[in-house]
Coordinates of all heavy atoms in Angstrom, one line a residue:
Chain A
S1619 N -3.3 15.0 26.8 CA -4.8 15.4 27.0 C -4.8 16.9 26.6 O -5.8 17.4 26.0 CB -5.2 15.1 28.5 OG -4.6 16.0 29.3
Y1620 N -3.8 17.7 27.1 CA -3.7 19.0 26.7 C -3.8 19.3 25.2 O -4.5 20.0 24.6 CB -2.6 19.8 27.3 CG -2.0 20.9 26.7 CD1 -2.9 22.1 26.7 CD2 -0.9 21.0 26.1 CE1 -2.5 23.3 26.1 CE2 -0.4 22.2 25.5 CZ -1.2 23.3 25.4 OH -0.8 24.5 24.8
L1621 N -2.9 18.4 24.5 CA -2.8 18.5 23.0 C -4.0 18.1 22.3 O -4.5 18.7 21.3 CB -1.6 17.8 22.6 CG -0.3 18.4 23.1 CD1 1.0 17.5 22.9 CD2 0.0 19.7 22.3
W1622 N -4.7 17.1 22.9 CA -6.0 16.7 22.3 C -7.0 17.7 22.4 O -7.8 18.1 21.5 CB -6.5 15.3 22.7 CG -6.0 14.2 21.9 CD1 -5.2 13.3 22.2 CD2 -6.5 14.0 20.5 NE1 -5.0 12.4 21.1 CE2 -5.9 12.8 20.1 CE3 -7.4 14.5 19.7 CZ2 -6.0 12.3 18.8 CZ3 -7.6 14.0 18.4 CH2 -6.9 12.9 18.0
L1623 N -7.0 18.4 23.5 CA -7.9 19.5 23.8 C -7.7 20.6 22.9 O -8.6 21.1 22.2 CB -7.9 20.0 25.3 CG -8.6 21.3 25.5 CD1 -10.1 21.1 25.5 CD2 -8.3 21.7 27.1
K1624 N -6.4 21.0 22.7 CA -6.0 22.1 21.9 C -6.4 21.8 20.4 O -6.8 22.6 19.7 CB -4.4 22.2 21.9 CG -3.9 23.5 21.4 CD -2.4 23.7 21.8 CE -1.8 24.8 21.1 NZ -2.4 26.1 21.3
M1625 N -6.2 20.5 19.9 CA -6.6 20.2 18.6 C -8.1 20.2 18.4 O -8.6 20.6 17.4 CB -6.0 18.8 18.2 CG -4.5 18.7 18.1 SD -3.9 17.1 17.4 CE -4.1 16.1 18.7
E1626 N -8.8 19.6 19.4 CA -10.3 19.7 19.4 C -10.7 21.0 19.3 O -11.7 21.3 18.3 CB -10.7 19.0 20.7 CG -12.2 19.0 20.9 CD -12.6 18.7 22.4 OE1 -11.9 17.7 22.9 OE2 -13.4 19.2 23.0
V1627 N -10.2 22.0 19.9 CA -10.7 23.5 19.8 C -10.4 24.0 18.5 O -11.2 24.6 17.9 CB -9.9 24.2 21.0 CG1 -10.2 25.7 20.8 CG2 -10.5 23.8 22.4
A1628 N -9.1 23.7 18.1 CA -8.7 24.2 16.7 C -9.6 23.7 15.6 O -9.7 24.4 14.5 CB -7.2 24.0 16.5
A1629 N -10.0 22.5 15.8 CA -10.7 21.7 14.6 C -12.2 22.1 14.6 O -12.9 21.8 13.7 CB -10.6 20.3 14.8
Q1630 N -12.7 22.9 15.6 CA -14.1 23.4 15.7 C -15.0 22.3 15.3 O -15.9 22.5 14.3 CB -14.2 24.6 14.6 CG -13.2 25.7 15.0 CD -13.4 26.9 14.1 OE1 -13.4 26.7 12.9 NE2 -13.4 28.1 14.6
G1631 N -15.0 21.2 16.1 CA -16.0 20.2 15.9 C -15.6 19.0 15.2 O -16.1 17.8 15.3

Side-chain angles (χ1 to χ4, degrees):
Chain A
S1619 76
Y1620 158 66
L1621 292 164
W1622 265 112
L1623 172 65
K1624 196 169 169 62
M1625 290 191 286
E1626 174 191 319
V1627 169
Q1630 299 180 319

